[in-house]
Structure formats: structure tokens, C-alpha cells
Amino acid sequence: MKIIVTGSLGNTAKPLAKQLIAEGHDITVVSSSEAKKAEIESLGAKAAIGSITDINFLVKAFEGANAVFTMTPPVMGENNIVENTAKAGKNYAEAIRKTKVKKVVMLSSVGADSPVENGPIKGLHHIEEIYNELENTSVTFLRAGYFYINFFNDIPLIKNAGIIGGNYPENINIPLTHPTDIAKAAAEELVKDTEGKDIRYVVSDSRTPSDFAKVLGTATGNPELPWVEFTDEQSLEGMVQAGLPQEMAELYVEMGRGMKTGVIQKDFIEQGSPVDGEIKLEDFAKEFASKF
């Protein structure tokens, strides 16, 4: 199959491209970075270098493809982040429509069913709605859990204050996902013969914040590492001080609140809390310790 992979050589796109190439597919990787061209080609893929804000570039990249994996960058500027994310999805949809691509697999998120109280996930909610309008194109929405790799951002807090925390309590279950498990699920879905619109949850483990503290703390030599529940204000202040743009920090605070109230996990739980990924929290803890 001729398959287009967006997301450059990121945490999900790179293992996905490698797996699809190993399976013998004709892969083109979309990247905005000319510097990535040689590495993309060294994997055995073609490189399409350009901006996802340029519909003409996307049309050219998607031309003749049997399937496309779409994802939006995690940070779409410092302002109007939700709107910019939705706009990127709209551009993809326009290119898919113009090139009559029959199969799309989109990286979405747990919580994308909700239009409110989910922070940056709101942009993905809008994209799901846009893709639902695509005619004659089958779409699989891969709703991933909270990325394990986000815990790398907590390393300074653990080292400097001896705590880990967020603006949600230690006793709620939070779906977690490893990018490698997303890549495996995406590779499966891209080659499936499907019709209509489907949702597949991609979750590697579902655990409590008290587990995060215990497992990651034990892996880094501090089995008594406490989980501290911050107020929204403390959470916002901490993220801004750590250098996060104000609007992104506000969106993350809203996402934490959505976890606390259960808005984000609601549909995942209603679907039976499906966990089909292989990489558990304890497996990731080894990766975490190596970066610590």
C-alpha cells in the first residue's frame, strides 16, 4: 500500500513508519523540517517536506495514497492553540477530500468526545467532528491515553522538591499510553479494510497518580515519593515558571480539572475501559529512570 505518515520523525510517527516499511509498504513521511529529509530517506521512506498549513503541499503529498495517518503537532503556537489545532485538521480534511483518499487513521485522545473541560484535547474534538463529515472515506479515531513521556516534564520537580503532582487527586484512574503502542495500533488500522467511522481506544495501562508516584519513585531510588494534589492556581503558576506559554499552561490546568471531574475518562469508562497496549507503567519506569 502507498501510505502517508504525518508527524515527521516524532515519538509515534517514527516507529510507525519503520513498522510499515518493514511490512513492505510504500511510505512517505511528511515533515516541516528539511533537516529530517536524510534521516527519513535512510529509513527507506520518501520525504515530503513542507508545512501542514499549506493545503497545496498536502494535496501533492497525499496524491495517489491508499491511506493516511494524520496527527497534529502537540503545540500549535503560543496563542489560539485549540483553533490552530482544529485548522490543521481542517487542512488535512481538505487535502483528503481533494485527493479522494479512502482510508484515514487519526491520532486523537481519550476525552475527545467532550467539547468542554478537556484543555488541548478540545482541538482534537473539533477535528473528529470535521472528519466525521468526510464522505467516501473510512476513518479510525485512535483515542490515546495520557502519554507516559509527559512524565519526563516532572523530573525537575522530583529532583528539586522531592514530590510529583498535578491538579487532580491520587485515587482516580487515568488511562496511560506509550507512543510505541500507538504506532502498533496505527499500523494495524491503516491496512484494515473498513468502512464508515470507528473509534479505537489505545491505552497501555490505567493507573492512579499514587501509582505514578510509587512506581516512578521506586525506579529512581525514592519509593516514598509522594503525589501532591495542587490547586489550579498552584498548577498554573508552576507550569508558567517552568517556561510553558500562559495559554498552554491554562489548557493543561483545564485538562487536569477534566481528569479530576471525570469528564475526560467518561467515554473510555463507558466503553469498558479497554486496555490493549503492551507497555505497562512498570515497563515505562525503566525508560523514565534512564532519563532521570
Side-chain angles (χ1 to χ4, degrees):
M1 289 174 68
K2 183 179 178 186
I3 301 173
I4 313 301
V5 175
T6 65
S8 191
L9 292 175
N11 294 305
T12 300
K14 186 176 181 178
L16 172 58
K18 285 169 85 170
Q19 182 170 338
L20 292 169
I21 291 161
E23 290 172 7
H25 300 290
D26 174 358
I27 303 304
T28 297
V29 175
V30 172
S31 176
S32 61
S33 170
E34 184 68 43
K36 294 274 174 30
K37 189 171 187 284
E39 190 184 347
I40 290 168
E41 289 173 349
S42 74
L43 295 177
K46 297 182 186 75
I49 307 297
S51 171
I52 62 172
T53 61
D54 179 351
I55 290 177
N56 292 332
F57 160 71
L58 288 176
V59 167
K60 195 176 169 191
F62 291 3
E63 202 70 63
N66 301 112
V68 178
F69 172 73
T70 63
M71 61 175 289
T72 48
V75 181
M76 296 290 290
E78 293 193 3
N79 301 301
N80 304 315
I81 294 163
V82 169
E83 293 83 352
N84 291 344
T85 302
K87 197 171 177 189
K90 204 171 178 181
N91 288 348
Y92 283 146
E94 187 65 23
I96 288 158
R97 218 176 261 117
K98 285 186 171 173
T99 52
K100 298 182 169 60
V101 172
K102 290 278 180 263
K103 174 90 191 182
V104 173
V105 175
M106 174 208 166
L107 178 55
S108 187
S109 172
V110 170
D113 54 293
S114 175
V116 294
E117 281 297 282
N118 53 1
I121 301 168
K122 233 190 255 86
L124 301 173
H125 169 82
H126 295 317
I127 296 175
E128 285 198 11
E129 288 191 319
I130 292 163
Y131 287 5
N132 271 319
E133 298 300 313
L134 287 170
E135 292 176 12
N136 306 316
T137 299
S138 87
V139 183
T140 301
F141 301 109
L142 291 183
R143 288 189 182 166
Y146 184 81
F147 275 40
Y148 284 125
I149 55 177
N150 289 337
F151 287 122
F152 294 143
N153 300 327
D154 294 309
I155 289 175
L157 181 65
I158 296 169
K159 284 187 165 178
N160 297 330
I163 60 172
I164 184 172
N167 62 327
Y168 44 94
E170 65 174 15
N171 60 350
I172 57 169
N173 270 298
I174 293 177
L176 303 165
T177 308
H178 196 283
T180 306
D181 282 333
I182 298 171
K184 282 181 188 166
E188 284 173 21
E189 295 297 335
L190 282 162
V191 300
K192 268 189 196 169
D193 191 13
T194 55
E195 289 185 11
K197 311 294 185 276
D198 287 308
I199 292 165
R200 174 174 172 178
Y201 279 98
V202 185
V203 174
S204 307
D205 208 349
S206 184
R207 303 289 283 271
T208 63
S210 62
D211 285 340
F212 306 164
K214 187 174 182 192
V215 174
L216 300 179
T218 300
T220 51
N222 182 7
E224 301 303 314
L225 180 71
W227 176 269
V228 176
E229 184 181 348
F230 304 130
T231 64
D232 288 357
E233 292 72 26
Q234 289 168 330
S235 208
L236 181 65
E237 189 183 338
M239 284 189 270
V240 170
Q241 279 180 354
L244 213 61
Q246 178 80 20
E247 187 180 310
M248 184 49 106
E250 287 169 2
L251 287 169
Y252 276 135
V253 168
E254 185 187 298
M255 184 170 78
R257 208 164 49 233
M259 290 182 189
K260 182 176 182 173
T261 60
V263 167
I264 286 176
Q265 306 94 306
K266 182 175 177 287
D267 188 72
F268 171 71
I269 292 166
E270 284 174 0
Q271 300 308 318
S273 304
V275 174
D276 64 359
E278 293 173 12
I279 301 170
K280 303 305 169 195
L281 180 60
E282 285 76 8
D283 302 317
F284 169 73
K286 295 168 194 159
E287 205 179 315
F288 186 80
S290 74
K291 296 259 187 191
F292 195 73

